[in-house]
């Protein structure tokens, strides 16, 4: 971890990219209880920082391992479509 940083969801609060992702999730109705939200937002933020031109497949890949018990993933797919280039 030497020379590396760790961004928490609290640390991303002021990040414009995080705001864009959060807005896409809200607009798509991809949030309910919020338990999964920090992991989803963090994963999408990292993916879009790494590749701002990420496509749908890349963003879906970035969410592998993130489980959401509430939304059934349709909202997440809509948000990803809005975020992808
Ligand atoms: S919104 Fe409840 S687990 Fe994802």
């Amino acid at each position: 971890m030497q020379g590396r940083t760790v961004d928490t969801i609290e640390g991303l609060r002021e990040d414009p990219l995080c705001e864009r992702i959060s807005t896409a999730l809200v607009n798509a109705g991809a949030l309910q209880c919020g338990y999964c939200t920090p992991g989803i937002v963090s994963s999408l933020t990292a993916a879009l920082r790494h590749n701002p031109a990420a496509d749908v497949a890349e963003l879906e890949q970035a969410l592998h391992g993130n489980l959401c018990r509430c939304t059934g993933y349709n909202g997440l797919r809509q948000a990803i479509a809005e975020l992808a280039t």
Side-chain angles (χ1 to χ4, degrees), residues 30-37 40 67-71 76:
L31 308 171
Q32 286 188 19
C33 78
Y35 187 79
C36 67
T37 306
I40 288 171
L67 303 177
C68 177
R69 295 285 203 169
C70 299
T71 66
L76 287 173

Side-chain angles (χ1 to χ4, degrees), residues 9 12-31 37-38 40-42 44-45 48 75-76 79 82-83:
I9 194 69
L12 295 174
R13 194 174 297 150
E14 305 290 324
D15 186 318
L17 177 57
C18 182
E19 178 67 27
R20 183 176 154 232
I21 292 166
S22 298
T23 298
L25 291 169
V26 169
N27 289 345
L31 308 171
T37 306
I40 288 171
V41 171
S42 298
L44 290 174
T45 299
L48 287 167
L76 287 173
E82 182 179 326
L83 293 166

